[in-house]
Amino acid sequence: MNVLENLSRVERKKKEKEESKRKCISKGLTTLRALIALPRIIALFVNAWNFCKEYFSDLFL
């Protein structure tokens, strides 16, 4: 019985380790996607800011 308990513990630890690795990879991919999207988001805000500046400067001049 003790040998079976040890085997199940070892299997559980292996599964937990694999699960942890999967979660880590998933978080890494999410972070990578966010970093890739960041320049696009910044460019969007810069374009919107420039558009507003031009629009409002023409409006008030």
Side-chain angles (χ1 to χ4, degrees):
M1 184 80 175
N2 201 7
V3 174
L4 289 176
E5 286 176 9
N6 285 341
L7 277 176
S8 66
R9 268 194 218 133
V10 168
E11 287 178 16
R12 237 183 297 132
K13 291 222 181 225
K14 279 184 185 177
K15 284 182 184 178
E16 287 172 1
K17 194 172 183 180
E18 287 176 18
E19 183 77 22
S20 173
K21 189 190 290 185
R22 254 185 268 129
K23 284 182 183 177
C24 185
I25 290 172
S26 177
K27 283 182 184 177
L29 286 175
T30 303
T31 304
L32 188 63
R33 285 188 197 119
L35 287 175
I36 290 171
L38 194 61
R40 290 184 197 154
I41 294 168
I42 292 171
L44 231 158
F45 279 108
V46 168
N47 287 340
W49 174 255
N50 288 335
F51 174 78
C52 288
K53 259 192 343 192
E54 278 186 40
Y55 179 77
F56 287 116
S57 70
D58 289 346
L59 197 65
F60 293 118
L61 286 178

